[in-house]
Amino acid sequence: MGAAAARSALASAGRAANEAVSFVVFLLLDALEVVLCVAYKVADYAAEGAWRPCYCSRASSAAALGAATGGGKIVVSERGGSSKVVSMLSATRLHLEDISDTLYTRPSVLAAAACSSAASQQQSPRRGVVTVHSAIVQMLRGKSGGAAKHHRPYPSPRWSDCHCANCNPADTSRLFVHVEAPPPQATEAESTEADVLFIHGFISSSGFWTETVLPHVSPAARSRRRLFAVDLLGFGRSPKPADSLYTLREHVEMIERSVIQRHGVRSFHIVAHSLGSILALALAVKYPAAVRSLTLVAPPYFPVPRGEVGTQYVLRTVAPRRVWPPIAFGASVACWYEHLSRTVSIVLCKHHRLWELAFRVFTLYRVRTYLMDGFFCHTHIASWHTLHNIICGSAGKIDRCLEVVRDQLTCDVTVYHGSDDELLPVQCSYAVKAKVPRAQVRVIDGKDHVTIVVGRQKGLARELEEIWDRKR
């Protein structure tokens, strides 16, 4: 009992120290974020002739009337109580409800400490009113093409982005898609079955699948199926538009245009990792008769407790603003600090060719760098908006998608998760099963968020083939 009490006291002391150190560190980061905000406004103006609006100021938020979300006019409340009408075009095809409030509602450490609950941080909006930040309105105006001169579309790539050909493809209307088709010598007797679509996770690329699982798919499986692996919008070798808000709608529409429509896909299996699981569920809901199976690897599903604001709950869960463990610290910096994360992106992503070369030289060209290639090849605009609009902003949407999969689809649902995943706990996968009882959850001992695939690709390829071969 004495040893157990000592361990409990030590754990309590460690948690208290972690909280105290975290409070000080993130208080300093809040101050640094203010400095970087001013610095980037000056840098953007010097490099591009205008500064891009950011999401730092909560006071500049606006109220968009519900009727405007379908295209029309938005009444924007400005600082000081004045207002103006902004014209919007339905051609933007981007709904305001697709945008997460976590982009512009991220209280500082002091503000969060002063609030007794998340509900007290903001008043509930009136019915029919959508809260939106003025920065979002300006971006949408730039996309509409009918903007005034000071709302012209922003240059792409921006001065702070990489300008290489891989990061800026000539064809900006479609995603980069790696395609492996059945060999031409396959006989007609081997009728082509449902295709397979692989979707990677956050700050990754198609290489996550093409360098691991796809080489181990058997010739027999290849002879009957086409294998597609995409680079999501804003990542890898796909377009990275500076005026995109990278919403769930935009990501899904680009996959449709680049894979389903372009290649005439009629039925397909989906294999998705992490963030890609959200897109997989959205595609399944949109194509219920076409999806043959869903394989979700480490899905980021956090059921929202009653009374919580879903987006804010997911933000605090994914990024708890703690310095320990290190993965929590990294996620917190990426989620809470717009300008600090932009700085990290400039250092790593803008100069990714230098880092990749240095890594190859350091390892004497003995280590394959596909994970690094995927991690570095994105822009801050893409990662920032995808993180908030997909992971945080899809909190309630995932529930609805899972309900559709449970009630309207008959496809197999298989969920893989590593027991040592510190980024997304295994409870996320069990929550999927609680929502979709027929889902099979397979927890792999000793594997984390990446090694759930990397390192066990041969076995995973065999297991996937078994899933694809099932007849329903």
Side-chain angles (χ1 to χ4, degrees), residues 64-74 88-90 92-98 128-132 140 249:
L65 300 184
T69 60
K73 297 182 183 297
I74 294 178
M88 298 292 294
L89 299 181
S90 59
T92 61
R93 301 190 67 185
L94 194 152
H95 295 180
L96 293 178
E97 60 265 26
D98 292 335
V129 175
V130 179
T131 301
V132 62
L140 293 179
R249 186 185 307 272

Side-chain angles (χ1 to χ4, degrees), residues 2-336:
R7 285 195 297 270
S8 177
L10 186 61
S12 298
R15 286 193 295 269
N18 189 21
E19 291 180 4
V21 173
S22 298
F23 181 85
V24 174
V25 169
F26 284 96
L27 191 65
L28 295 175
L29 292 181
D30 286 343
L32 177 59
E33 182 76 353
V34 174
V35 175
L36 289 175
C37 178
V38 177
Y40 278 121
K41 285 187 184 299
V42 174
D44 288 345
Y45 190 85
E48 300 173 354
W51 54 64
R52 188 187 190 110
C54 62
Y55 300 108
C56 290
S57 174
R58 188 179 169 191
S60 62
S61 63
L65 300 184
T69 60
K73 297 182 183 297
I74 294 178
V75 179
V76 181
S77 301
E78 297 291 351
R79 194 188 303 269
S82 61
S83 62
K84 63 181 178 180
V85 176
V86 178
S87 295
M88 298 292 294
L89 299 181
S90 59
T92 61
R93 301 190 67 185
L94 194 152
H95 295 180
L96 293 178
E97 60 265 26
D98 292 335
I99 300 169
S100 174
D101 67 327
T102 56
L103 283 169
Y104 48 85
T105 306
R106 288 169 284 107
S108 66
V109 172
L110 286 177
C115 295
S116 59
S117 66
S120 65
Q121 294 174 14
Q122 57 182 357
Q123 295 180 349
S124 299
R126 292 179 290 118
R127 186 175 182 181
V129 175
V130 179
T131 301
V132 62
H133 197 277
S134 58
I136 295 171
V137 174
Q138 291 192 34
M139 291 181 69
L140 293 179
R141 291 190 67 190
K143 287 170 68 69
S144 70
K149 182 177 180 180
H150 62 286
H151 287 305
R152 66 184 182 276
Y154 297 99
S156 184
R158 306 195 67 204
W159 69 268
S160 53
D161 298 335
C162 178
H163 287 64
C164 75
N166 276 347
C167 290
N168 299 277
D171 186 357
T172 60
S173 63
R174 297 189 183 96
L175 303 177
F176 170 83
V177 182
H178 174 92
V179 184
E180 294 187 11
Q185 64 269 25
T187 63
E188 294 184 1
E190 295 176 308
S191 59
T192 301
E193 298 179 4
D195 300 315
V196 185
L197 171 61
F198 292 85
I199 308 176
H200 64 79
F202 185 57
I203 54 176
S204 185
S205 71
S206 56
F208 184 81
W209 296 113
T210 62
E211 299 291 333
T212 57
V213 172
L214 266 67
H216 297 285
V217 175
S218 68
R222 291 175 180 275
S223 68
R224 305 192 306 274
R225 303 177 179 92
R226 292 179 295 178
L227 309 179
F228 300 98
V230 300
D231 283 354
L232 293 176
L233 181 67
F235 299 90
R237 284 168 282 183
S238 286
K240 303 169 181 64
D243 61 349
S244 174
L245 286 165
Y246 296 90
T247 63
L248 181 64
R249 186 185 307 272
E250 289 178 288
H251 278 290
V252 169
E253 287 181 350
M254 283 296 280
I255 294 175
E256 283 183 292
R257 186 184 312 150
S258 308
V259 179
I260 297 175
Q261 296 172 2
R262 186 179 186 183
H263 295 279
V265 175
R266 296 184 179 180
S267 62
F268 56 102
H269 305 270
I270 306 179
V271 182
H273 176 246
S274 191
L275 172 141
S277 300
I278 302 175
L279 305 181
L281 290 170
L283 281 168
V285 169
K286 197 163 189 177
Y287 295 91
V291 174
R292 300 284 294 277
S293 73
L294 276 172
T295 303
L296 311 179
V297 183
Y301 174 49
F302 299 91
V304 180
R306 186 181 300 274
E308 290 274 8
V309 178
T311 54
Q312 297 293 326
Y313 173 79
V314 173
L315 173 62
R316 296 193 307 272
T317 303
V318 173
R321 281 197 288 199
R322 292 289 181 268
V323 296
W324 191 264
I327 197 167
F329 178 73
S332 298
V333 171
C335 290
W336 288 90

